[in-house]
Amino acid sequence: MLRILLCLLFFAQTGFAQSFTSTIRGTVQDADTKSPLAGATVSLISPQTGTITDAQGAFRFDNLPTGRYQLSVSYVGYETVRIPELLLESGKENVQQIRLAPAGKQLNEATVTGARPVAFNSVQEITIEQTLRYAATYMDPARVATSFAGVAAANDQANGLVIRGNSPNSMQWRLEGVEIVNPNHLSNAGTFSDRPTSTGGGVNILSTQLLGTSQFLSGPFPAQYGNVNGGILDMHLRNGNDQKTEFTAQASLLGLDFAAEGPFSKKSKASYLVNYRYSFTGLLGALGVKFGGEDIRFQDLSFHVNLPTVKAGTFTVFGMGGVSSNDFKSEGDSTTWETQKDGYNIIYKNKMGAIGVTNDLPLGRNASLRTVVAASGLRTSRDAAPVFDTPSTPADGNGEDLIKKRMVSVSSILNVRFGTRSRMRAGGYLTWQKDILTRYYGGVGSYIVQPFASWNYQITSSVTTEIGLHSLISKLDLPSSKTNISVEPRASLKWQVNEKEQFNFSYGLHSQMQQPQTYLAAYSTTDFWGNPSLTPSKSHHFVVGYQRSFAKNASLKVEAYWQEHFNIPIAVYEEDHFSALNLIENDVTKRLENDGTGRNYGVEVSYQKLLTDNYYMLLSGSLYDATYVAKDGLRRDSRFNGRHTFSFTGGKEFKSGNRSTWGVNAKILWLGGLRDTPINLAASQEFQQTVYLQNEDFSYKMKDYFRPDLRIYWKKSNAKYSRTLALDLQNVSGTKNQAFKFYDTLKKEIITQTQLGLIPVLSYRWEF
């Protein structure tokens, strides 16, 4: 017996001491031409080892113990790139696509990735590593952005973002570089009218499993970006593994998630990546289980196919599609009703899809051409019907609201390099879109053409400039609408003081098309209706920034910004203080003109340390002011003037033997409360609906928003697969943050609607 126990102990110790390995590999390309760079030096730090890329620019490190690594890539005449946050897990290769830019004296930024930054100022990169590690992101890149300076969530039920005090409507979603329709499930989540928004939703339809590194920009925007005034989330897809078939499966309280990737054949470099997801609430809904009386379901499918060719460049085909629903059924017995909503049957459905093709074509040694064609569309419907007509459930304004949006986007961009100090980028976008809103009895279509050109030039070894010109040419298909042409200069300057410090300055004039409900506003019983003569809103953006790097992949960034908005749609009468700067999902029933203005300014500070030495930290905050001016000429606080943001995001990992890693991650949000208009109780009781006090627009500031989140995970490696068990706790403190106020026709009083409380999400992830 003693011998048997000794043998078991020996084998157990051997098993725990076993080290599991995997592979880090990838390709190194020229950032401008996409040509492979043969002979580039690729080094791993801790442990120190290196290799050289082959004729195809490929490198490979086999039999590496699982864990965290740092990667450094250098090539004669090019800038050195360092990637500090690199996780290697058993059962899955880590494949990197690295692009090097020509050498120039440049700051060793802590937020280094495998590509040149798209802007000098106000840009953050979002990686799949962050979405999997940060607390309570629900694998959604937009929720990662709430950790950045100057960014606030409009409502914690959704991913709509208030960026530098601007409406979420001023944010633009892009996929592979072109604009698409709202790519989110349940676009009515967190709204006060229960109607959809144009930019937010409960969760992103595109699974993080497909995402590569995405860019988040808050302006001023480089010349290649247009039709946006507030912020941009440009999502990019990664290629599937072109050498090995791999799978990922995840089960959580959000749903079931399955991904597969691999090569089409051993003789081809073509690869595929596909993901399917079905909500856990949908599974429970099929069993008759509801949450707060609501039956919430969603599912989606997305894919990315990479098709390299010998002479025609590299093609990719991508697509995404999702359906979601939120059904609320009244109990029917009015004696059990607690709020006015209990007297209604509400059915909400959302469908969205996008498909596209890209082509990256090298043109000689110093140029490349990138072309993208994408079509996207969505359909949302909301049918609200009272169980029976009572004073607390008025039938007026109910029925079905149907919204359809279709968009086709085409872009072609030429990159040309003139030596190591100068490069040019020129091209354009062509967009057609159609919006149909049944509650306005019509639709509006538009054609948008956006040519641009920019020139990047290194004046001295320490000073680099980029100047550009963008134009937005638009035409509505409404009577009396005229072609609008906007010419928008862009300029940036970067001064590299030394290897650790830099100053920069950026300016841009930007314009953005209006929301469809402003064009289609129904405000008269005569034959005169709508606002077809409205032109795009415009804004001047100025930013001055300072950045300093420190040891151990840490950096400090300070930015001061000023945004001057003009050409804003406002009501034509002085007693009406409507401004499109405050618009979210509301109906518009007013005659409007482009005479409004607005002003946003503030200071943002971020200190970031990436994950090295087993811990990371992102500490960010801002002080800002956001105001608007309506027809009466008075400056007022805007709906989104919360005055301050603060965010702490951090975590630490602990090794447990050779197989296990524990991680503890936290995020704390402290945001200034957004604003609302006080309610006239007497008028609301008389008209049986919420009536706001006149001349007190957004004078009420809600209480500050406070939310701590926590994520604890346990990773365990095995010979051919790895597993991750995680628990996310959103709003650990259970703080009841205010959302908005409304008059409840059943209770006959003003109610304060609160946001979500404690939300636990348990997940199990398996990669093999």
Side-chain angles (χ1 to χ4, degrees), residues 402-406 434-439 442-444 516 520:
L402 179 63
I403 297 176
K404 297 180 181 179
K405 187 178 186 70
R406 298 189 295 272
K434 180 74 173 182
D435 291 273
I436 298 175
L437 291 74
T438 58
R439 65 181 181 272
V444 56
L520 299 173

Side-chain angles (χ1 to χ4, degrees), residues 162 165-170 192 514-515 517-518 537 565 568-571 576-588 597-598 600 626-630 634-641 674-677 697-699:
V162 175
N166 291 292
S167 165
N169 288 342
S170 65
F192 45 80
Q514 307 299 339
Q515 294 296 305
Q517 61 263 43
T518 61
S537 299
H565 303 285
I568 306 300
I570 58 173
D576 192 334
H577 307 145
F578 172 88
S579 170
L581 290 178
N582 301 309
L583 187 62
I584 306 181
E585 80 274 9
N586 317 63
D587 286 344
V588 178
T597 62
N600 297 16
T627 58
Y628 75 100
V629 177
L634 297 179
R635 185 171 298 279
R636 295 178 172 85
D637 291 309
S638 79
R639 179 193 297 273
F640 309 103
N641 194 12
L674 302 184
R675 294 181 174 270
D676 204 350
T677 301
D697 303 75
F698 308 111
S699 61

Side-chain angles (χ1 to χ4, degrees), residues 437-449:
L437 291 74
T438 58
R439 65 181 181 272
Y440 291 101
Y441 308 104
V444 56
S446 62
Y447 295 91
I448 307 172
V449 181

Side-chain angles (χ1 to χ4, degrees), residues 312-512:
T314 299
F315 290 87
T316 70
V317 181
F318 61 89
M320 60 186 292
V323 295
S324 56
S325 63
N326 185 349
D327 297 344
F328 177 86
K329 186 175 181 180
S330 172
E331 293 294 334
D333 182 0
S334 60
T335 61
T336 64
W337 297 351
E338 297 180 359
T339 66
Q340 67 180 45
K341 181 180 177 180
D342 294 332
Y344 290 83
N345 292 321
I346 305 174
I347 300 176
Y348 184 89
K349 297 186 182 299
N350 192 111
K351 297 180 180 179
M352 183 272 170
I355 190 166
V357 178
T358 73
N359 175 247
D360 286 294
L361 179 65
L363 302 174
R365 299 180 57 184
N366 296 308
S368 66
L369 180 68
R370 177 173 174 82
T371 303
V372 183
V373 179
S376 58
L378 62 82
R379 183 185 190 276
T380 65
S381 64
R382 178 182 181 273
D383 190 358
V387 178
F388 42 82
D389 192 12
T390 70
S392 64
T393 58
D396 293 342
N398 295 299
E400 183 179 32
D401 288 339
L402 179 63
I403 297 176
K404 297 180 181 179
K405 187 178 186 70
R406 298 189 295 272
M407 180 181 292
V408 178
S409 301
V410 180
S411 75
S412 188
I413 300 175
L414 175 68
N415 285 283
V416 181
R417 186 170 64 230
F418 308 100
T420 60
R421 300 175 62 183
S422 176
R423 65 183 178 91
M424 182 192 74
R425 175 175 291 178
Y429 300 85
L430 175 62
T431 304
W432 170 85
Q433 62 185 31
K434 180 74 173 182
D435 291 273
I436 298 175
L437 291 74
T438 58
R439 65 181 181 272
Y440 291 101
Y441 308 104
V444 56
S446 62
Y447 295 91
I448 307 172
V449 181
Q450 300 177 79
F452 76 90
S454 64
W455 181 44
N456 183 291
Y457 182 69
Q458 188 174 14
I459 301 174
T460 69
S461 61
S462 59
V463 178
T464 304
T465 185
E466 183 170 285
I467 58 175
L469 198 64
H470 183 101
S471 180
L472 189 145
I473 306 167
S474 60
K475 176 67 170 67
L476 303 177
D477 64 358
L478 294 176
S480 305
S481 175
K482 298 180 180 180
T483 299
N484 180 78
I485 301 176
S486 175
V487 179
E488 304 165 3
R490 316 284 173 86
S492 296
L493 182 71
K494 178 173 64 179
W495 173 33
Q496 195 74 50
V497 181
N498 50 53
E499 291 186 355
K500 294 185 177 181
E501 293 179 287
Q502 77 171 28
F503 289 92
N504 42 53
F505 167 80
S506 294
Y507 162 76
L509 173 61
H510 307 288
S511 59
Q512 184 173 11

Side-chain angles (χ1 to χ4, degrees), residues 190-236:
T191 62
F192 45 80
S193 71
D194 200 34
R195 292 189 169 96
T197 64
S198 64
T199 59
V203 65
N204 199 320
I205 292 175
L206 188 63
S207 173
T208 300
Q209 312 281 15
L210 273 76
L211 287 176
T213 298
S214 300
Q215 283 82 37
F216 179 80
L217 300 94
S218 50
F221 310 109
Q224 67 264 32
Y225 296 101
N227 195 28
V228 60
N229 274 328
I232 298 170
L233 184 50
D234 193 357
M235 302 180 293
H236 293 275

Side-chain angles (χ1 to χ4, degrees), residues 224-259:
Q224 67 264 32
Y225 296 101
N227 195 28
V228 60
N229 274 328
I232 298 170
L233 184 50
D234 193 357
M235 302 180 293
H236 293 275
L237 306 176
R238 68 180 180 89
N239 294 334
N241 195 320
D242 60 1
Q243 297 182 11
K244 178 184 177 183
T245 301
E246 297 176 334
F247 301 94
T248 301
Q250 177 168 302
S252 74
L253 294 182
L254 287 180
L256 303 177
D257 205 331
F258 303 98

